[in-house]
Amino acid sequence: MVFAPLGAYKGNLNLPSKTYQRIRSDHASEVAEDYVEAIADAISERGVCRAIDLVKHFSVTHATVNNTIGRLQRDGFVVTEPYQPIELTTAGKRLATQSRQRHEIVESFLRRMGVSAATAAADSEGIEHHVSKETLAAMKRVLTKGWPSEPS
């Protein structure tokens, strides 16, 4: 496989830098999206989400969960008090819904391409955070209308 040198994309020397900036931004929101999605799932399944649920779900320490929940509370996605359940704010619910929808579209698209269920589930966990709106819309079109006969 041959790769084009950095900066050789369509003659635009700024593209790689912009691409990496987007990737760094995506990484910054990745943890928040994963946590609000897990909180929403726990509430949906058990009626409540506690820190221990997230410790088990992510296989991390209580300190990690507490630090992350603190950041989510600071950013307005959750509300909680010490030793109390974690609740999503309206913004947290919206972020969880958006993340879940992206995840489902990506996973369904991978399955449509013939990827096994297990691999599609694992791969969609990472892809969902980095897929652009344009690519996500194209994936959704394929899922609803089928493959286009010619690329746009």
Side-chain angles (χ1 to χ4, degrees):
M1 180 176 278
V2 177
F3 292 97
L6 288 178
Y9 304 97
K10 295 186 180 180
N12 184 346
L13 296 177
N14 295 325
L15 183 59
S17 175
K18 289 179 183 177
T19 299
Y20 297 131
Q21 287 172 353
R22 190 184 120 211
I23 291 169
R24 282 192 298 276
S25 174
D26 291 346
H27 279 298
S29 64
E30 202 168 324
V31 171
E33 291 171 357
D34 283 342
Y35 267 72
V36 296
E37 199 173 342
I39 293 166
D41 288 347
I43 292 170
S44 175
E45 292 169 13
R46 294 182 290 286
V48 67
C49 180
R50 298 192 178 276
I52 189 66
D53 299 324
L54 300 173
V55 167
K56 291 176 182 176
H57 179 80
F58 292 112
S59 297
V60 296
T61 65
H62 273 281
T64 297
V65 168
N66 289 338
N67 289 336
T68 303
I69 294 302
R71 284 192 300 275
L72 292 174
Q73 193 162 19
R74 177 199 68 204
D75 294 342
F77 295 117
V78 302
V79 291
T80 190
E81 295 293 329
Y83 308 104
Q84 295 300 311
I86 302 160
E87 298 178 26
L88 292 172
T89 63
T90 302
K93 290 175 186 175
R94 184 173 37 252
L95 182 60
T97 299
Q98 291 168 347
S99 183
R100 171 66 59 212
Q101 289 171 343
R102 277 196 324 273
H103 181 103
E104 289 172 355
I105 291 168
V106 171
E107 188 171 354
S108 296
F109 180 80
L110 293 174
R111 295 286 294 137
R112 175 72 60 91
M113 288 189 340
V115 175
S116 71
T119 301
D123 288 352
S124 62
E125 276 301 324
I127 295 171
E128 74 176 272
H129 300 291
H130 300 281
V131 66
S132 68
K133 288 179 182 180
E134 177 184 356
T135 300
L136 193 65
M139 289 175 167
K140 194 172 182 179
R141 273 193 311 276
V142 167
L143 291 170
T144 57
K145 298 179 181 177
W147 294 97
S149 55
E150 290 285 324
S152 301

